[in-house]
Amino acid sequence: MIKNYIKVIKKSFTFLRLINCIKVAVSYGLSLLLKKTIVWGYPVMVMIEPTNICNLRCPLCPSGIGQLTRGRGCMSFELFKSIIDQIEKHSFGILLWNQGEPFLNPDFLKMVAYANSKRLYLLTSTNANVEFNAQEIINSGLDLMIVSLDGTTQETYSKYRKGGELSLVLKNVQNIIQTKKAKNSCSPLLVWQFLVMKHNEHEVEQIKTLSTELGVDMLAYKTVQIYSKEDIDEFLPKNQKYSRYNLSDINTNLNTPILKNKCYRIWMQPVVNWNGEMAVCCFDKDIQIKVGDVSKTTFKKVWKSKEFMNFRKNILKNRKKYEICRNCGEGTVLQIRN
């Protein structure tokens, strides 16, 4: 990870971005101290959703199981370019995912290449169940790619990644690793993300071995987010080590165990969905909190809109009043050390 941080600095550092980062951090700190909403500068990172369409049917994903009520579609390159042009002087990087599979947007790598030309650090997360062109991915300038891969056998893998092919994912991973070696390239950093659930927690050690054999750059274990009591028996791991919930009271409480009146995300990392609607964070999957649309006005106006500022003020006073916050990963263990 240290090498990755060094790369972020080498690629994305400018004094203007550093000053913006300091302004955002100081304004967040003052807001916590004074319990008053103060927002200086632009977000340090911005999550942009290339599409909310997915090719899999993962049972805990609102997009995969068709629970999203907002419209489906792909972000246009013109809208993406407009967003990048407004934030590139201030923000360090872009997270290119949210709901949906990013590579289903036909302009995805074109988007990556454009943002790369602005020296923004670029991350994406994919189920890798599409045919990859490893050469094009590496040439695009993508810095980090998270590949969601939750099993060592097709049987285990497809229990959650419904409609997915383990063999295709492994082929894509191998092609990228081989192409990186052939081009003597360090990018993209390849992160294998293993979502630990009841049906695959026994494979944790096997995954370590397989990831080493394949030669991925990093292996990350992640806790699963559940939404109902029915999910407990089917998906929640038995080992407390692999859960973000307190197993002693999980039958009566699906909320985040510790919910403090603060949240760095709404000062530092908003989400712009495929059609231009801004979400306060990635946990507002269906835009329950309306703050504005960057396709109709400027990014800055939405970022500092009355609606967004009021939401921040309410979070500082009573965060648990919001449903999207009560089952949020902020302040809980998302990544597992193993």
Side-chain angles (χ1 to χ4, degrees):
M1 282 302 292
I2 294 177
K3 289 183 179 179
N4 193 42
Y5 291 135
I6 293 173
K7 184 179 178 184
V8 174
I9 294 171
K10 286 178 67 175
K11 179 180 181 180
S12 302
F13 178 84
T14 68
F15 282 107
L16 193 58
R17 287 173 178 168
L18 175 61
I19 291 169
N20 178 71
C21 185
I22 293 170
K23 286 168 66 176
V24 172
V26 171
S27 67
Y28 177 55
L30 287 174
S31 297
L32 295 181
L33 181 65
L34 302 175
K35 296 299 178 182
K36 179 181 178 181
T37 308
I38 303 168
V39 179
W40 295 330
Y42 282 74
V44 177
M45 301 287 288
V46 179
M47 176 176 278
I48 298 178
E49 179 183 76
T51 181
N52 63 350
I53 299 169
C54 194
N55 52 345
L56 300 188
R57 302 182 303 280
C58 305
L60 295 178
C61 173
S63 179
I65 60 177
Q67 284 187 346
L68 289 180
T69 60
R70 58 185 173 99
R72 304 278 181 143
C74 292
M75 179 175 284
S76 69
F77 178 75
E78 290 72 23
L79 177 56
F80 179 82
K81 182 176 181 296
S82 173
I83 297 167
I84 296 300
D85 290 346
Q86 292 178 69
I87 66 173
E88 57 99 0
K89 290 182 180 178
H90 310 281
S91 302
F92 271 92
I94 306 296
L95 293 82
L96 285 161
W97 77 89
N98 186 25
Q99 301 297 302
E101 168 52 49
F103 281 88
L104 293 183
N105 186 316
D107 289 327
F108 178 68
L109 290 181
K110 183 179 177 182
M111 293 172 170
V112 173
Y114 184 75
N116 181 60
S117 72
K118 303 296 183 179
R119 293 179 56 206
L120 288 161
Y121 191 77
L122 303 166
L123 307 84
T124 196
S125 181
T126 174
N127 61 45
N129 268 273
V130 294
E131 290 290 343
F132 280 173
N133 185 315
Q135 188 83 25
E136 290 182 358
I137 290 173
I138 292 169
N139 291 343
S140 70
L142 187 64
D143 296 293
L144 187 148
M145 176 187 287
I146 300 169
V147 176
S148 297
L149 182 51
D150 319 306
T152 59
T153 66
Q154 177 63 29
E155 181 182 4
T156 305
Y157 174 75
S158 61
K159 184 172 178 61
Y160 183 72
R161 303 288 170 182
K162 294 186 182 299
E165 294 182 26
L166 177 62
S167 60
L168 176 58
V169 181
L170 292 175
K171 184 187 80 170
N172 282 329
V173 169
Q174 289 170 329
N175 285 345
I176 291 175
I177 291 171
Q178 291 170 3
T179 307
K180 280 173 61 178
K181 288 180 180 178
K183 293 178 66 68
N184 195 27
S185 173
C186 296
S187 300
L189 187 76
L190 205 57
V191 180
W192 179 342
Q193 182 171 275
F194 187 86
L195 193 60
V196 183
M197 293 167 278
K198 179 176 288 186
H199 64 273
N200 66 12
E201 62 183 309
H202 65 284
E203 293 185 344
V204 166
E205 293 303 320
Q206 293 172 260
I207 288 295
K208 284 184 181 179
T209 302
L210 184 55
S211 66
T212 301
E213 291 175 352
L214 287 173
V216 297
D217 297 298
M218 189 184 307
L219 173 63
Y221 298 100
K222 188 177 181 181
T223 59
V224 67
Q225 181 181 25
I226 60 174
Y227 298 91
S228 68
K229 301 294 177 61
E230 291 73 23
D231 297 335
I232 297 172
D233 291 333
E234 187 169 0
F235 295 106
L236 205 65
K238 293 181 179 179
N239 191 335
Q240 175 70 68
K241 176 181 179 180
Y242 302 136
S243 176
R244 68 179 67 174
Y245 303 94
N246 187 340
L247 298 185
S248 63
D249 67 352
I250 187 66
N251 288 309
T252 58
N253 178 23
L254 288 178
N255 297 340
T256 300
I258 300 173
L259 203 63
K260 297 181 179 179
N261 292 330
K262 63 178 184 176
C263 180
Y264 77 93
R265 293 175 189 267
I266 55 178
W267 266 262
M268 300 185 185
Q269 187 184 295
V271 178
V272 180
N273 287 309
W274 71 269
N275 61 352
E277 276 192 289
M278 186 178 287
V280 293
C281 75
C282 60
F283 285 91
D284 191 3
K285 297 172 171 55
D286 225 359
I287 319 293
Q288 294 180 28
I289 314 299
K290 304 286 186 181
V291 295
D293 188 331
V294 301
S295 70
K296 298 175 180 177
T297 185
T298 65
F299 184 97
K300 185 177 181 180
K301 284 183 178 179
V302 179
W303 176 237
K304 296 189 177 182
S305 65
K306 178 182 176 182
E307 293 80 6
F308 210 150
M309 296 297 276
N310 283 337
F311 176 74
R312 293 184 181 102
K313 180 177 69 174
N314 292 335
I315 289 296
L316 294 173
K317 293 180 178 179
N318 185 19
R319 185 176 160 214
K320 66 182 179 181
K321 72 178 284 188
Y322 291 102
E323 181 184 353
I324 62 170
C325 298
R326 292 196 294 269
N327 192 10
C328 165
E330 168 72 1
T332 64
V333 178
L334 299 184
Q335 299 292 337
I336 305 163
R337 292 184 178 180
N338 197 292

